[in-house]
Amino acid sequence: MPQNKRVLIVGGGHDGLVAAFYLAKAGLKPIVLERREFVGGCAITEEFHPGFRCSSFAHTVGPLREDVARDMRLERFGCEMIRPNPRLFAPAPDGDGVLFYDEHVMTAAGIERFSTKDAQRYREFADALVYAADIFAQVAAITPPAIDGPSPEDLWRLLRIGRGVRKLGQRRTFDLLRWGPMAVADFVSEFFETDLLRAAIAARGIFGCAMGPWSAGSTAVLLLRAAADSHPVGSASFPRGGMGALAEALARSARDAGAEIRTGAEVARIASRDAAVTGVVLAGGEEIPCDAVISNLDPKRTFFQLVDTSELDPAFVQRIKNIRANGTLAKVNLALGACPSFPAATALSGPEGFRSALSGRIHLGPGIDYLERAFDASKYGDFSAEPWLDVTIPTLSDPSLAPEGKHALSACVQFAPYKLKGGWQARRGEFGEAVLKTLEVYAPGISNLVEGMQIYTPEDLEKSCGLTGGHIYHEELALDQLFTMRPVLDWARYDTPIRGLYLCGSGTHPGNGLTGACGANAAREIARELR
């Protein structure tokens, strides 16, 4: 048993904390080293304007994988999850819109106004996602097999997935094989004719990615996300107190299991000798010896800033260099003097129910071509004058985040290229104006309510969170960077060419945001190897 083995985890993001919990449970001695004075990575809560707080970067939970949430017992450590119903509100510029409830029958009843056919097909689509999600959930939970020499355990895992696929029957199996490489625009068009409905669902396949709805393979991303939550529009889960409350609960659970967490401990270098880890060196000069190092940082930052590349094979270095990791997501947080008025929400839910309609996520992207045009701008180094926004108003469910009667609005903005023509410093104000102009289309008068604005560009994400290229998933979610090719081919099993150095962040399989899957999967493999 590995009771006396010290394991250092570089980075206190959510996957690092999840890995620390499971490694402590396995009898190891994990120590999390976080350069900032708080843990959480992109899952933090900050005061961005006097009296106003919100989740600075990520504003919804993945959700956490069921076994991770169950094992870590986060509610015991003060994490209360808020799950609004409806989950998503998708307004149209003409004042109409669609509400997506937990209950598919209720959602279908609202879709009936647009199309009887779409209302019927919505339930069929939800059922299709359930069986597809089951297979993708199994894939997301395993360690990708070794390509050259799969172990008996690899073969057994693949056999179990194969049996699950076989049980689907011929038609559903063919559907899965056909859907994966498809553009998500084509995928949703197989089911629906209403453009607003198609866009609200298809958006899930391109969120945080350098892809538009017509990009090949974007359906695979949607199905991978359905593995965490099979609802057609995904999760709408908010920790009371913002994402920082979730990070703190993860940290407390990891400490309770026996992990140590050190903040203000920036790792300057991962020390190695003869292609084997010997420890880490902190920015202040302190050297910490260990038996293994697990990096929760992205692959490029790990290998090009912390590791001596002379210890690595040149072919491996070239593969890491070729990882696509330029972010396209920005974040805008607004301090509002009052609750904004969305006429479509009032029309659908009435004067008494509009707050409920706005309590989940708000999708502002009324059509497939609208999303594609927003993506087109980013391909050529610009942001769209009409961006696609994924919005939340967390203060409707958690008033403690703002002064009484006032509200915080959080908007994830796509597409915002890491390398922007003219530079982000010069065009930050112009970008904020484009976001407000887009909000005005759906919430007239909202600009007059703004008391403060905070903007995080991909450049800011790189500086604040240490994300190379400002990519929130550490590297692009694309067919050639998933499963056995995440982060690169031959090294998808959380280990690296340097003995004793492992990866556990979103740049590893399945790389799917705030689910805890990467950290849990990595901890399982690392604990087994260190035994």
Coordinates of all heavy atoms in Angstrom, one line a residue, residues 339-414:
C339 N -33.7 44.9 -11.4 CA -33.8 43.7 -12.3 C -34.2 44.1 -13.7 O -35.1 44.9 -13.9 CB -34.9 42.8 -11.7 SG -35.1 41.2 -12.7
P340 N -33.4 43.6 -14.7 CA -33.8 44.0 -16.1 C -35.1 43.4 -16.5 O -35.5 42.4 -16.0 CB -32.6 43.5 -16.9 CG -32.1 42.3 -16.1 CD -32.3 42.7 -14.6
S341 N -35.7 44.1 -17.5 CA -37.0 43.6 -18.0 C -36.8 43.0 -19.3 O -36.3 43.6 -20.3 CB -38.0 44.8 -18.1 OG -39.1 44.4 -18.8
F342 N -37.2 41.7 -19.4 CA -37.2 40.9 -20.6 C -38.6 40.8 -21.1 O -39.4 39.9 -20.5 CB -36.5 39.6 -20.4 CG -35.0 39.6 -20.4 CD1 -34.4 40.0 -19.2 CD2 -34.3 39.1 -21.4 CE1 -33.0 40.0 -19.1 CE2 -32.9 39.1 -21.3 CZ -32.2 39.6 -20.2
P343 N -39.1 41.5 -22.0 CA -40.5 41.4 -22.4 C -41.0 40.0 -22.8 O -42.1 39.6 -22.5 CB -40.6 42.4 -23.6 CG -39.5 43.4 -23.4 CD -38.4 42.6 -22.8
A344 N -40.1 39.2 -23.4 CA -40.5 37.9 -23.7 C -40.7 37.0 -22.5 O -41.6 36.2 -22.5 CB -39.4 37.2 -24.6
A345 N -40.0 37.2 -21.4 CA -40.2 36.5 -20.2 C -41.5 36.8 -19.6 O -42.3 36.0 -19.1 CB -39.1 36.8 -19.2
T346 N -41.9 38.1 -19.6 CA -43.2 38.5 -19.1 C -44.3 38.0 -19.9 O -45.4 37.6 -19.4 CB -43.3 40.1 -19.0 OG1 -42.2 40.6 -18.3 CG2 -44.6 40.5 -18.4
A347 N -44.1 38.0 -21.3 CA -45.2 37.5 -22.2 C -45.4 36.0 -21.9 O -46.6 35.5 -22.0 CB -44.8 37.7 -23.6
L348 N -44.4 35.2 -21.6 CA -44.5 33.8 -21.5 C -45.0 33.4 -20.1 O -45.7 32.4 -19.9 CB -43.1 33.1 -21.7 CG -42.7 33.1 -23.2 CD1 -41.3 32.5 -23.3 CD2 -43.6 32.3 -24.1
S349 N -44.5 34.2 -19.1 CA -44.8 33.8 -17.7 C -45.7 34.7 -16.9 O -46.0 34.4 -15.7 CB -43.4 33.6 -16.9 OG -42.6 32.7 -17.6
G350 N -46.0 35.9 -17.5 CA -46.8 36.8 -16.8 C -46.0 37.7 -15.8 O -44.8 37.4 -15.5
P351 N -46.6 38.8 -15.3 CA -45.9 39.7 -14.4 C -45.4 39.0 -13.1 O -44.4 39.5 -12.6 CB -46.9 40.8 -14.1 CG -47.9 40.7 -15.2 CD -47.9 39.2 -15.6
E352 N -46.1 38.0 -12.7 CA -45.7 37.3 -11.5 C -44.6 36.3 -11.7 O -43.9 35.9 -10.7 CB -46.9 36.7 -10.8 CG -48.0 37.7 -10.5 CD -47.6 38.8 -9.5 OE1 -46.8 38.5 -8.6 OE2 -48.0 39.9 -9.7
G353 N -44.5 35.7 -12.9 CA -43.6 34.6 -13.1 C -42.4 34.9 -13.9 O -41.5 34.0 -14.1
F354 N -42.2 36.2 -14.3 CA -41.0 36.4 -15.2 C -39.7 36.2 -14.4 O -38.7 35.8 -15.0 CB -41.1 37.9 -15.7 CG -40.6 38.9 -14.8 CD1 -39.3 39.4 -14.9 CD2 -41.5 39.5 -13.8 CE1 -38.9 40.4 -14.1 CE2 -41.0 40.5 -13.0 CZ -39.7 41.0 -13.1
R355 N -39.7 36.5 -13.1 CA -38.4 36.2 -12.4 C -38.0 34.8 -12.4 O -36.8 34.4 -12.5 CB -38.6 36.7 -10.9 CG -38.6 38.2 -10.8 CD -38.8 38.7 -9.4 NE -38.7 40.1 -9.2 CZ -37.6 40.7 -8.8 NH1 -36.5 40.0 -8.4 NH2 -37.5 42.0 -8.7
S356 N -39.0 33.9 -12.3 CA -38.7 32.5 -12.4 C -38.1 32.1 -13.8 O -37.2 31.3 -13.9 CB -40.0 31.6 -12.2 OG -39.8 30.3 -12.4
A357 N -38.7 32.7 -14.8 CA -38.2 32.5 -16.2 C -36.7 32.9 -16.4 O -36.0 32.3 -17.1 CB -39.1 33.2 -17.2
L358 N -36.3 33.9 -15.6 CA -35.0 34.5 -15.7 C -34.0 33.9 -14.7 O -32.8 34.2 -14.7 CB -35.0 36.0 -15.5 CG -35.9 36.8 -16.5 CD1 -35.8 38.3 -16.1 CD2 -35.4 36.6 -18.0
S359 N -34.5 33.0 -13.9 CA -33.6 32.5 -12.8 C -32.6 31.4 -13.2 O -31.6 31.1 -12.5 CB -34.5 31.9 -11.7 OG -35.3 32.9 -11.1
G360 N -32.9 30.8 -14.4 CA -31.9 29.8 -14.9 C -30.9 30.5 -15.8 O -30.5 31.6 -15.6
R361 N -30.5 29.8 -16.9 CA -29.7 30.4 -17.9 C -30.5 31.0 -19.0 O -31.7 30.6 -19.2 CB -28.8 29.3 -18.5 CG -27.7 28.7 -17.6 CD -27.0 27.5 -18.1 NE -26.8 27.5 -19.6 CZ -27.2 26.6 -20.4 NH1 -27.9 25.5 -20.0 NH2 -27.0 26.7 -21.7
I362 N -30.0 32.1 -19.6 CA -30.7 32.8 -20.6 C -29.8 32.7 -21.9 O -28.7 33.2 -21.9 CB -30.9 34.3 -20.2 CG1 -31.6 34.3 -18.9 CG2 -31.7 35.0 -21.3 CD1 -31.7 35.7 -18.3
H363 N -30.4 32.1 -22.9 CA -29.7 32.0 -24.2 C -30.0 33.1 -25.1 O -31.2 33.2 -25.6 CB -30.0 30.6 -24.8 CG -29.6 30.5 -26.2 ND1 -28.3 30.0 -26.6 CD2 -30.2 30.7 -27.4 CE1 -28.2 30.0 -27.9 NE2 -29.3 30.4 -28.4
L364 N -29.0 33.9 -25.5 CA -29.3 35.0 -26.5 C -28.5 34.7 -27.7 O -27.3 35.1 -27.9 CB -28.8 36.3 -25.9 CG -29.5 36.7 -24.5 CD1 -29.0 38.1 -24.1 CD2 -31.0 36.7 -24.6
G365 N -29.2 34.0 -28.6 CA -28.6 33.6 -29.9 C -29.7 33.0 -30.7 O -29.9 31.8 -30.7
P366 N -30.5 33.8 -31.4 CA -31.9 33.4 -31.9 C -31.9 32.4 -33.1 O -33.0 31.9 -33.5 CB -32.5 34.7 -32.3 CG -31.4 35.6 -32.7 CD -30.3 35.2 -31.8
G367 N -30.7 32.1 -33.7 CA -30.8 31.2 -34.8 C -29.4 30.6 -35.1 O -28.4 31.0 -34.7
I368 N -29.4 29.5 -35.9 CA -28.2 28.8 -36.2 C -27.3 29.7 -37.0 O -26.1 29.8 -36.7 CB -28.5 27.5 -37.1 CG1 -29.2 26.5 -36.2 CG2 -27.3 27.0 -37.7 CD1 -28.3 25.8 -35.2
D369 N -27.8 30.4 -38.0 CA -26.9 31.3 -38.8 C -26.4 32.5 -37.9 O -25.3 33.0 -38.2 CB -27.7 31.8 -40.0 CG -27.9 30.8 -41.1 OD1 -27.2 29.7 -41.0 OD2 -28.7 30.9 -41.9
Y370 N -27.2 32.9 -36.9 CA -26.7 33.9 -36.0 C -25.4 33.4 -35.3 O -24.4 34.2 -35.2 CB -27.8 34.3 -35.0 CG -27.4 35.3 -34.0 CD1 -27.9 36.6 -34.1 CD2 -26.7 35.0 -32.9 CE1 -27.5 37.6 -33.2 CE2 -26.4 36.0 -31.9 CZ -26.8 37.3 -32.1 OH -26.5 38.2 -31.2
L371 N -25.5 32.2 -34.8 CA -24.3 31.6 -34.1 C -23.2 31.5 -35.0 O -22.0 31.7 -34.6 CB -24.7 30.3 -33.5 CG -25.9 30.2 -32.5 CD1 -26.1 28.8 -32.0 CD2 -25.6 31.1 -31.3
E372 N -23.4 31.1 -36.2 CA -22.3 30.9 -37.2 C -21.7 32.2 -37.6 O -20.5 32.3 -37.7 CB -22.9 30.2 -38.5 CG -21.8 29.8 -39.4 CD -20.9 28.6 -39.0 OE1 -21.3 27.9 -38.0 OE2 -19.8 28.5 -39.5
R373 N -22.5 33.3 -37.7 CA -21.9 34.6 -38.0 C -21.0 35.1 -36.9 O -20.0 35.7 -37.1 CB -23.0 35.6 -38.3 CG -23.7 35.4 -39.7 CD -24.5 36.6 -40.1 NE -25.6 36.8 -39.2 CZ -26.8 36.2 -39.3 NH1 -27.1 35.5 -40.3 NH2 -27.8 36.5 -38.4
A374 N -21.5 34.8 -35.7 CA -20.6 35.2 -34.5 C -19.3 34.5 -34.5 O -18.3 35.1 -34.2 CB -21.4 34.9 -33.2
F375 N -19.3 33.2 -34.9 CA -18.1 32.4 -35.0 C -17.2 32.9 -36.2 O -16.0 33.0 -36.1 CB -18.5 31.0 -35.2 CG -17.3 30.1 -35.5 CD1 -16.2 30.0 -34.7 CD2 -17.3 29.3 -36.7 CE1 -15.1 29.2 -35.0 CE2 -16.2 28.5 -37.0 CZ -15.1 28.4 -36.2
D376 N -17.9 33.3 -37.3 CA -17.1 33.8 -38.5 C -16.2 34.9 -38.1 O -15.1 35.0 -38.5 CB -18.1 34.2 -39.6 CG -18.7 33.0 -40.3 OD1 -18.2 31.9 -40.2 OD2 -19.7 33.2 -41.0
A377 N -16.7 35.8 -37.3 CA -15.9 37.0 -36.9 C -14.6 36.6 -36.2 O -13.5 37.1 -36.5 CB -16.7 38.0 -36.0
S378 N -14.7 35.6 -35.3 CA -13.5 35.2 -34.5 C -12.5 34.4 -35.4 O -11.3 34.5 -35.1 CB -14.0 34.2 -33.4 OG -14.4 33.0 -33.9
K379 N -13.0 33.8 -36.5 CA -12.0 33.1 -37.4 C -11.0 34.1 -38.0 O -9.9 33.7 -38.3 CB -12.8 32.4 -38.5 CG -13.5 31.1 -38.0 CD -14.0 30.3 -39.2 CE -15.0 31.1 -40.0 NZ -15.6 30.2 -41.1
Y380 N -11.4 35.3 -38.1 CA -10.6 36.3 -38.8 C -10.1 37.3 -37.7 O -9.7 38.5 -38.1 CB -11.3 37.0 -39.9 CG -11.9 36.0 -40.9 CD1 -13.2 35.7 -40.9 CD2 -11.0 35.3 -41.7 CE1 -13.7 34.7 -41.8 CE2 -11.5 34.3 -42.6 CZ -12.8 34.0 -42.6 OH -13.3 33.1 -43.5
G381 N -10.0 36.9 -36.5 CA -9.4 37.8 -35.5 C -10.2 38.9 -34.9 O -9.7 39.9 -34.4
D382 N -11.5 38.8 -35.0 CA -12.4 39.9 -34.5 C -13.5 39.3 -33.7 O -13.8 38.1 -33.7 CB -13.0 40.7 -35.7 CG -13.2 42.1 -35.3 OD1 -13.2 42.5 -34.1 OD2 -13.5 42.9 -36.3
F383 N -14.1 40.2 -32.9 CA -15.3 39.7 -32.1 C -16.6 40.2 -32.9 O -16.5 41.1 -33.7 CB -15.4 40.2 -30.7 CG -15.3 41.7 -30.5 CD1 -16.4 42.5 -30.8 CD2 -14.1 42.3 -30.1 CE1 -16.3 43.9 -30.6 CE2 -14.0 43.7 -29.9 CZ -15.1 44.5 -30.2
S384 N -17.7 39.5 -32.7 CA -18.9 39.8 -33.5 C -19.5 41.1 -32.8 O -19.6 41.2 -31.6 CB -19.8 38.6 -33.4 OG -21.1 39.0 -34.0
A385 N -20.1 41.9 -33.7 CA -20.9 43.0 -33.2 C -22.2 42.5 -32.6 O -22.9 43.2 -31.9 CB -21.2 44.0 -34.4
E386 N -22.6 41.3 -32.9 CA -23.8 40.6 -32.4 C -23.4 39.3 -31.8 O -23.6 38.2 -32.4 CB -24.9 40.4 -33.4 CG -25.4 41.7 -34.0 CD -26.4 41.5 -35.1 OE1 -26.2 40.7 -36.0 OE2 -27.5 42.1 -35.0
P387 N -22.7 39.3 -30.6 CA -22.2 38.1 -30.0 C -23.4 37.2 -29.5 O -24.5 37.6 -29.3 CB -21.3 38.5 -28.9 CG -21.9 39.9 -28.5 CD -22.4 40.5 -29.8
W388 N -23.0 35.9 -29.3 CA -23.9 35.0 -28.7 C -23.6 35.0 -27.2 O -22.4 34.9 -26.8 CB -23.7 33.5 -29.2 CG -24.1 32.4 -28.3 CD1 -25.2 32.4 -27.5 CD2 -23.4 31.2 -28.1 NE1 -25.3 31.2 -26.8 CE2 -24.2 30.5 -27.1 CE3 -22.2 30.7 -28.6 CZ2 -23.8 29.2 -26.6 CZ3 -21.8 29.4 -28.1 CH2 -22.6 28.7 -27.1
L389 N -24.6 35.2 -26.4 CA -24.5 35.3 -24.9 C -25.2 34.2 -24.2 O -26.3 33.8 -24.5 CB -25.0 36.6 -24.4 CG -24.6 37.9 -25.1 CD1 -25.3 39.1 -24.4 CD2 -23.1 38.0 -25.1
D390 N -24.5 33.6 -23.2 CA -25.1 32.7 -22.2 C -25.1 33.4 -20.9 O -24.1 33.7 -20.3 CB -24.3 31.4 -22.1 CG -25.0 30.4 -21.2 OD1 -25.8 29.6 -21.7 OD2 -24.6 30.3 -20.0
V391 N -26.3 33.8 -20.5 CA -26.5 34.8 -19.4 C -27.1 34.1 -18.1 O -28.0 33.2 -18.3 CB -27.4 36.0 -19.8 CG1 -27.7 36.9 -18.7 CG2 -26.7 36.7 -21.0
T392 N -26.7 34.6 -17.0 CA -27.4 34.2 -15.7 C -27.5 35.5 -14.9 O -26.7 36.5 -15.0 CB -26.6 33.2 -14.9 OG1 -25.4 33.8 -14.4 CG2 -26.3 31.9 -15.7
I393 N -28.6 35.6 -14.1 CA -28.8 36.6 -13.1 C -28.9 35.9 -11.8 O -30.0 35.7 -11.3 CB -30.1 37.4 -13.5 CG1 -30.1 37.9 -14.9 CG2 -30.2 38.6 -12.5 CD1 -31.4 38.6 -15.3
P394 N -27.7 35.6 -11.2 CA -27.7 34.8 -10.0 C -28.4 35.4 -8.8 O -28.9 34.6 -7.9 CB -26.2 34.6 -9.7 CG -25.6 35.8 -10.4 CD -26.4 36.0 -11.6
T395 N -28.6 36.7 -8.8 CA -29.2 37.3 -7.6 C -30.7 37.1 -7.5 O -31.3 37.3 -6.5 CB -28.9 38.8 -7.7 OG1 -29.0 39.3 -9.0 CG2 -27.5 39.2 -7.2
L396 N -31.3 36.6 -8.6 CA -32.7 36.2 -8.5 C -33.0 35.0 -7.6 O -34.0 34.9 -7.0 CB -33.3 35.9 -9.9 CG -33.4 37.1 -10.9 CD1 -33.8 36.7 -12.3 CD2 -34.5 38.1 -10.3
S397 N -32.0 34.1 -7.5 CA -32.1 33.0 -6.6 C -31.2 33.2 -5.4 O -31.5 32.5 -4.4 CB -31.6 31.7 -7.4 OG -32.3 31.5 -8.5
D398 N -30.3 34.0 -5.4 CA -29.3 34.2 -4.3 C -29.1 35.7 -4.1 O -28.1 36.3 -4.5 CB -28.0 33.5 -4.6 CG -27.1 33.6 -3.4 OD1 -27.4 34.1 -2.4 OD2 -25.9 33.1 -3.6
P399 N -30.1 36.4 -3.4 CA -30.0 37.9 -3.2 C -28.8 38.4 -2.5 O -28.5 39.5 -2.5 CB -31.3 38.2 -2.5 CG -32.2 37.0 -2.7 CD -31.3 35.9 -2.8
S400 N -28.1 37.5 -1.8 CA -27.0 37.9 -0.9 C -25.8 38.4 -1.8 O -24.9 39.0 -1.2 CB -26.5 36.7 -0.1 OG -26.0 35.6 -0.9
L401 N -25.9 38.2 -3.1 CA -24.7 38.5 -4.0 C -24.7 40.0 -4.3 O -23.8 40.5 -5.0 CB -24.7 37.7 -5.2 CG -24.5 36.2 -5.0 CD1 -24.7 35.4 -6.3 CD2 -23.1 35.9 -4.5
A402 N -25.8 40.7 -4.0 CA -25.9 42.2 -4.4 C -26.7 42.9 -3.3 O -27.4 42.3 -2.5 CB -26.6 42.3 -5.7
P403 N -26.5 44.3 -3.3 CA -27.3 45.1 -2.3 C -28.8 44.8 -2.6 O -29.2 44.5 -3.7 CB -26.9 46.5 -2.6 CG -25.6 46.4 -3.3 CD -25.6 45.1 -4.0
E404 N -29.6 45.1 -1.6 CA -31.0 44.8 -1.6 C -31.7 45.6 -2.8 O -31.4 46.8 -3.0 CB -31.7 45.2 -0.3 CG -33.2 44.9 -0.3 CD -33.8 45.2 1.0 OE1 -33.1 45.7 2.0 OE2 -35.1 45.0 1.2
G405 N -32.4 44.8 -3.6 CA -33.1 45.4 -4.7 C -32.3 45.5 -6.0 O -32.8 45.9 -7.1
K406 N -31.0 45.2 -5.9 CA -30.1 45.3 -7.0 C -29.7 43.9 -7.5 O -29.9 42.9 -6.8 CB -28.9 46.2 -6.7 CG -29.3 47.6 -6.3 CD -28.1 48.5 -6.2 CE -28.5 49.9 -5.8 NZ -27.3 50.9 -5.8
H407 N -29.0 43.8 -8.7 CA -28.8 42.5 -9.2 C -27.4 42.5 -9.9 O -26.9 43.5 -10.4 CB -29.9 42.1 -10.2 CG -31.2 41.8 -9.6 ND1 -31.5 40.6 -9.1 CD2 -32.2 42.7 -9.3 CE1 -32.7 40.7 -8.5 NE2 -33.2 41.9 -8.7
A408 N -26.9 41.3 -10.0 CA -25.6 41.0 -10.7 C -26.0 40.2 -12.0 O -26.9 39.3 -11.9 CB -24.6 40.2 -9.9
L409 N -25.5 40.5 -13.1 CA -25.7 39.8 -14.3 C -24.4 39.2 -14.8 O -23.4 40.0 -14.9 CB -26.3 40.6 -15.4 CG -26.7 39.9 -16.7 CD1 -28.0 40.5 -17.3 CD2 -25.5 40.1 -17.7
S410 N -24.3 37.9 -15.1 CA -23.1 37.3 -15.6 C -23.3 36.8 -17.0 O -24.3 36.1 -17.3 CB -22.8 36.1 -14.7 OG -21.8 35.2 -15.2
A411 N -22.4 37.2 -17.9 CA -22.6 36.8 -19.3 C -21.3 36.1 -19.9 O -20.3 36.8 -19.9 CB -23.0 38.0 -20.2
C412 N -21.4 34.9 -20.3 CA -20.4 34.3 -21.1 C -20.6 34.7 -22.6 O -21.6 34.5 -23.1 CB -20.4 32.7 -20.9 SG -20.0 32.2 -19.3
V413 N -19.5 35.2 -23.2 CA -19.7 35.9 -24.5 C -18.8 35.1 -25.5 O -17.6 34.9 -25.3 CB -19.2 37.3 -24.4 CG1 -19.5 38.0 -25.7 CG2 -19.9 38.1 -23.3
Q414 N -19.5 34.7 -26.6 CA -18.8 34.1 -27.7 C -19.2 34.8 -29.0 O -20.4 35.2 -29.1 CB -19.1 32.6 -27.8 CG -18.4 31.8 -26.8 CD -18.4 30.3 -27.0 OE1 -18.8 29.6 -26.1 NE2 -18.0 29.9 -28.2

